[in-house]
Amino acid sequence: MVDLQGITFGYGKRERLFDRLDLALTPGNVYGLLGRNGAGKTTLLRLMAGLLFPKEGSARAAGEEVRRRTPSFLRELYFVPEEFHTPALTPLELARLYGVFYPRFDHDAMARHLAGLEVDAQRTMTAMSYGQKKKVLLAFAVATGCRLLILDEPTNGLDIPAKGQFRRLLAGAAADDRVIVVSTHQVRDLEHLIDPIVILEQGRIVFQHSVEEISAALAVRDAAAVGPADDGEALYVEPATAVGGAPSGRALVAAGSAARAETAVDIELLFNSVVADHRRVAAAFTPGAEAGAANK
């Protein structure tokens, strides 16, 4: 569905943000794109959408070169940026005027999504808060039926109840013929939905694995069970905090069959371990998986 090969890109004549970046995304997945501030996550999303052009390499999606922005490609793409402009329309007017560009647009689904997100469908969007506008665009995105949905920081501006509603909306949007890419700093909001995990660091994709693969290769030790002797076997250790922010020992990422435990994947801790030393983390996977996880 999405195939980026040898992407080189930079904003200045000397700056090089991406250096021969490769990334392949397959249908049926909700990809979580993670990276530090300034790593280029938004730029990468815009390259996928054909809004920026690589200096070298190719970007293809839905079987087409995305830079051409053909009608057949655009009807399969919807991109919700972090910052956006909204017209002076109600959500239902937006659906009526712009839904025609998407052959599978579902007006009934749009109305259901707006109701679930508690959006007044009769209110003009320019009179709405940022969070309400964001909910309208997310509802519209899912209703398009597009095969490629790109969401940049979708939970920014949403309050706690709205984040829960959005999680349900996103879970319902996943389909075998659809690729959803979510770039976020707020991994706690979506950690039970994003899978596989893709981590961008130093201009390359240094980690790309499913939660199943991660669970088979790595374990996050219960902070209370981590002792000094465990540190020598760890790939990564950081201070852990209990509810309320009080110190509660250390959290640890370990590898090997002896280290594996029946624990959920802590995506934030995983991210920290990859950023600290992605090659060491990659070595915990099989040689074939390691080669796919890090562009060297």
Side-chain angles (χ1 to χ4, degrees):
M1 169 67 84
V2 176
D3 186 20
L4 308 183
Q5 294 187 7
I7 297 294
T8 297
F9 180 85
Y11 287 103
K13 291 183 177 180
R14 297 182 180 180
E15 179 186 5
R16 180 169 288 190
L17 183 59
F18 300 137
D19 183 15
R20 298 186 300 278
L21 179 146
D22 296 330
L23 178 64
L25 307 179
T26 57
N29 295 298
V30 179
Y31 288 90
L33 177 62
L34 312 180
R36 294 194 255 199
N37 288 336
K41 299 184 297 298
T42 295
T43 298
L44 184 57
L45 297 182
R46 292 174 68 83
L47 284 162
M48 286 184 199
L51 296 171
L52 292 174
F53 304 152
K55 294 183 177 179
E56 297 178 13
S58 67
R60 298 183 63 84
E64 299 195 42
E65 189 72 29
V66 301
R67 67 188 302 158
R68 297 178 59 204
R69 303 273 292 176
T70 63
S72 58
F73 168 66
L74 293 176
R75 69 189 181 196
E76 296 295 350
L77 164 73
Y78 199 82
F79 180 19
V80 179
E82 183 178 9
E83 300 294 335
F84 49 80
H85 166 75
T86 53
L89 300 170
T90 69
L92 294 183
E93 289 171 339
L94 180 78
R96 178 171 57 83
L97 290 174
Y98 291 94
V100 295
F101 295 106
Y102 304 96
R104 295 184 296 280
F105 191 89
D106 189 332
H107 290 272
D108 292 336
M110 175 74 173
R112 290 195 306 272
H113 301 332
L114 291 172
L117 291 167
E118 300 180 350
V119 175
D120 183 353
Q122 303 299 328
R123 189 178 187 189
T124 302
M125 294 174 66
T126 49
M128 294 180 179
S129 68
Y130 174 82
Q132 290 292 100
K133 293 175 184 178
K134 175 70 73 71
K135 288 192 270 188
V136 173
L137 294 183
L138 293 171
F140 186 93
V142 174
T144 62
C146 290
R147 294 170 58 207
L148 176 57
L149 294 184
I150 300 176
L151 311 178
D152 193 3
E153 300 290 350
T155 58
N156 277 6
L158 302 185
D159 57 24
I160 293 175
K163 288 178 181 180
Q165 294 158 356
F166 170 65
R167 284 192 292 269
R168 290 188 287 273
L169 178 65
L170 190 62
D176 290 343
D177 63 344
R178 173 178 269 178
V179 171
I180 302 176
V181 186
V182 180
S183 174
T184 182
H185 286 98
Q186 303 182 45
V187 294
R188 300 292 186 194
D189 293 339
L190 300 169
E191 64 182 354
H192 298 299
L193 283 174
I194 51 177
D195 181 12
I197 308 301
V198 180
I199 298 178
L200 179 63
E201 174 74 358
Q202 298 177 343
R204 298 182 182 181
I205 302 300
V206 298
F207 187 93
Q208 184 178 351
H209 287 290
S210 69
V211 170
E212 181 179 6
E213 291 170 338
I214 296 165
S215 298
L218 302 174
V220 179
R221 296 280 187 89
D222 182 359
V226 175
D230 294 316
D231 290 2
E233 302 174 0
L235 300 175
Y236 178 78
V237 180
E238 69 177 33
T241 55
V243 176
S248 63
R250 296 185 303 283
L252 178 149
V253 176
S257 59
R260 293 171 197 159
E262 295 298 324
T263 59
V265 174
D266 184 328
I267 296 177
E268 187 173 306
L269 182 58
L270 172 70
F271 172 77
N272 290 341
S273 69
V274 172
V275 168
D277 190 340
H278 66 84
R279 290 181 177 83
R280 192 176 185 197
V281 174
F285 294 81
T286 62
E290 179 183 346
N295 297 313
K296 296 182 178 179

